[in-house]
Amino acid sequence: MIPAVSAVLLALAAAPAVFATAPHSDLKLALSSIPGRPAARRARIHAANLARRATDPLPTGTSEPLVDYFNGTDLQWYGEISIGTPPQNFTVVFDTGSSTIEVPGMACGEACVGHRQFDPSASSSFKDLQISDTLNFGTCVGVDPVDDNCELWVSLVADTFTVANFTSPEGALYSHFWLITNQTSGFLPDPFDGIMGIGADANDFFHDAGYPAIFGMLFVPENEGGAGELTLGGVDTTKFNAPLLYSPLVVNDWFLLSTGIFVNGQTTSSLQNNNTFLFDSGTSNLVLNEPLALAIYSLISPDIVANADEPGTYGIACDLISTLPAAIDITLAGIPGQDAFNLTIPSSELSSGPFKNKPELCQTLINVSDGLMFVGLSLFKHYYSVWDIDNQRLGFAPNGF
Ligand SMILES: *[C@@H]1O[C@H](CO)[C@@H](O)[C@H](O)[C@H]1NC(C)=O
Ligand SMILES: *[C@@H]1O[C@H](CO)[C@@H](O)[C@H](O)[C@H]1NC(C)=O
Ligand SMILES: *[C@@H]1O[C@H](CO)[C@@H](O)[C@H](O)[C@H]1NC(C)=O
Ligand SMILES: *[C@@H]1O[C@H](CO)[C@@H](O)[C@H](O)[C@H]1NC(C)=O
Ligand SMILES: *[C@@H]1O[C@H](CO)[C@@H](O)[C@H](O)[C@H]1NC(C)=O
Ligand SMILES: *[C@@H]1O[C@H](CO)[C@@H](O)[C@H](O)[C@H]1NC(C)=O
Ligand SMILES: *[C@@H]1O[C@H](CO)[C@@H](O)[C@H](O)[C@H]1NC(C)=O
């Protein structure tokens, strides 16, 4: 998930992604401990011993279940976190496209109705950091049109924090996060309360809790039961039975180098260029630039057309879509010493369901944007993914779905 308006991502005014959060260049501090906190510093020293070599066996970590938000199509997966002393619980989307945490606060009142709201006065460990901001988003959640109705007013705070039994030796992690103090109505339908971003630079978040900086994610589509799992500080090796294939991060973020794309086994010269994609667990489908999207669509069907009502979206008559083969192979660079490999988005992902205002037209999985390019849940649903911060690489193994 990426906000429509942020210092680094201004180009993404039509970002598809959702109730998104900010990789604020100036405030990239959630998921890090309060500077100078002695226990945290001790933990960091301890953490030096926890940094793993890429060849070490995979740690097991601690897991929690995720729930699929399905509304016509699989949209997001979310799970529970606890904040404060005593703990107050929230459901959040675990979002690799951002690196900050947002949950509703009591101050939001009616504007956050239907969502749990954090009560600072009920937490003995709460700290108000007295910084306010607004976050704007291109869309909220779902595949409905952009309506300029997705804005958050937020306030920076700090408190103890627990996720998936993931606690520091003394009981809880201390984290900065944004409390939502007001919001536009576009967020109200979301079944989850907030977002927890996990960037590729979140080393301290894991090390301070005594875990290696690695996490695993499983997203099971609705038609296979709609469950999911987040494993922090390790990998759940019971969720896949093929070797993990790794691609190195291009920068200290979840960007990978793709050296080519194939559609139903075919390719073109324009599809055999190098591209850098952000792997974003907070994006439901795919967002590519126009030349790349059109090159892929033209190998699927000439009947896929732009939907002028919603710029950046494409569709095809719903009665044609289920018969179309549309397997998309994305070739990724391997880690040093390992070959490049393909990840496959199966044909079943082509349709994101009918457009609300043109129900005879089904939305196809790739949106066009001039900004960054995102690979989202259309792909992750079919792989167990391993987000290895310590070794700056991302691993995949087919999950059987
Ligand atoms: C959390 O920890 C408790 C006690 O250690 C354990 O019983 C439980 O299974 C753990 N839950 C998860 C989801 O790991
Ligand atoms: C809060 O969340 C934790 C971890 O998911 C869970 O063990 C606990 O039962 C929850 N508490 C409440 C009041 O829901
Ligand atoms: C495509 O973009 C539109 C407009 O931003 C958005 O509403 C929709 O969710 C996106 N669709 C997909 C399939 O990502
Ligand atoms: C909250 O935001 C809405 C706009 O969505 C605005 O009309 C309202 O005045 C705001 N409320 C407060 C308390 O700032
Ligand atoms: C499903 O999406 C529609 C809009 O397309 C929305 O009105 C409705 O509230 C959503 N349902 C749920 C359960 O989120
Ligand atoms: C990727 O898949 C295509 C067929 O779609 C195949 O021609 C190509 O060799 C594969 N690349 C790798 C690295 O496996
Ligand atoms: C693509 O990237 C690879 C790996 O960095 C490099 O060897 C190759 O020359 C690049 N190809 C093009 C067309 O830029």
Side-chain angles (χ1 to χ4, degrees):
M1 299 187 192
I2 298 282
V5 180
S6 90
V8 274
L9 298 166
L10 217 46
L12 285 172
V18 221
F19 179 97
T21 76
H24 277 252
S25 48
D26 50 337
L27 275 170
K28 222 175 174 175
L29 34 68
L31 302 197
S32 62
S33 301
I34 291 178
R37 191 163 166 263
R41 236 185 284 124
R42 271 201 310 279
R44 244 191 302 276
I45 292 161
H46 173 53
N49 304 321
L50 286 165
R52 293 169 310 107
R53 281 193 312 262
T55 50
D56 290 346
L58 290 166
T60 46
T62 168
S63 298
E64 74 167 46
L66 300 179
V67 177
D68 181 10
Y69 173 29
F70 180 90
N71 192 348
T73 182
D74 295 300
L75 291 171
Q76 297 287 327
W77 277 255
Y78 58 94
E80 199 154 51
I81 61 172
S82 305
I83 303 175
T85 313
Q88 302 176 39
N89 282 9
F90 300 87
T91 51
V92 294
V93 165
F94 296 97
D95 177 22
T96 62
S98 68
S99 49
T100 56
I101 300 165
E102 288 86 25
V103 295
M106 283 287 264
C108 191
E110 273 299 300
C112 291
V113 66
H115 296 272
R116 283 173 276 194
Q117 300 179 20
F118 183 76
D119 181 359
S121 70
S123 174
S124 61
S125 43
F126 176 79
K127 287 188 178 67
D128 187 349
L129 301 177
Q130 315 256 330
I131 296 174
S132 301
D133 205 348
T134 57
L135 308 175
N136 283 279
F137 303 97
T139 60
C140 301
V141 159
V143 285
D144 293 335
V146 174
D147 54 6
D148 288 332
N149 193 19
C150 304
E151 186 166 11
L152 297 179
W153 286 260
V154 291
S155 169
L156 193 67
V157 301
D159 210 332
T160 60
F161 190 88
T162 306
V163 49
N165 275 4
F166 193 94
T167 55
S168 73
E170 60 207 276
L173 228 47
Y174 223 98
S175 213
H176 293 78
F177 58 99
W178 293 107
L179 271 187
I180 300 164
T181 55
N182 193 8
Q183 66 182 6
T184 49
S185 61
F187 297 108
L188 287 177
D190 298 346
F192 47 86
D193 304 312
I195 296 192
M196 176 174 164
I198 314 182
D201 57 356
N203 313 55
D204 287 353
F205 178 73
F206 291 87
H207 293 166
D208 287 355
Y211 285 90
I214 185 172
F215 60 100
M217 292 177 118
L218 175 75
F219 305 102
V220 180
E222 165 80 4
N223 59 9
E224 300 282 353
E229 186 186 69
L230 170 72
T231 299
L232 290 175
V235 174
D236 184 350
T237 55
T238 68
K239 296 296 192 283
F240 55 94
N241 47 27
L244 284 163
L245 298 175
Y246 289 98
S247 189
L249 302 191
V250 175
V251 293
N252 184 219
D253 224 321
W254 300 116
F255 285 102
L256 300 180
L257 171 69
S258 166
T259 53
I261 292 179
F262 297 80
V263 179
N264 299 322
Q266 293 178 280
T267 192
T268 61
S269 56
S270 69
L271 286 177
Q272 289 302 305
N273 287 324
N274 286 347
N275 285 292
T276 299
F277 298 130
L278 181 69
F279 281 69
D280 180 9
S281 66
T283 286
S284 306
N285 304 107
L286 261 74
V287 187
L288 302 176
N289 63 29
E290 190 172 44
L292 203 50
L294 295 184
I296 294 172
Y297 279 151
S298 68
L299 286 179
I300 298 175
S301 167
D303 298 322
I304 295 177
V305 292
N307 176 10
D309 292 354
E310 294 181 38
T313 66
Y314 289 75
I316 184 172
C318 292
D319 54 8
L320 294 179
I321 205 163
S322 60
T323 62
L324 277 178
I328 301 172
D329 285 327
I330 301 175
T331 309
L332 293 182
I335 53 174
Q338 285 188 19
D339 292 340
F341 60 94
N342 283 335
L343 297 178
T344 304
I345 301 173
S347 306
S348 57
E349 295 294 336
L350 179 61
S351 176
S352 308
F355 281 103
K356 210 171 176 183
N357 299 324
K358 278 188 189 155
E360 72 291 350
L361 193 67
C362 275
Q363 188 170 356
T364 44
L365 85 166
I366 307 169
N367 267 3
V368 163
S369 149
D370 289 334
L372 297 175
M373 299 203 275
F374 300 81
V375 174
L377 292 157
S378 304
L379 176 78
F380 298 134
K381 276 185 255 179
H382 306 286
Y383 291 87
Y384 189 88
S385 49
V386 173
W387 307 73
D388 189 346
I389 299 171
D390 282 331
N391 295 299
Q392 293 290 291
R393 60 185 189 169
L394 190 42
F396 298 89
N399 63 12
F401 299 121

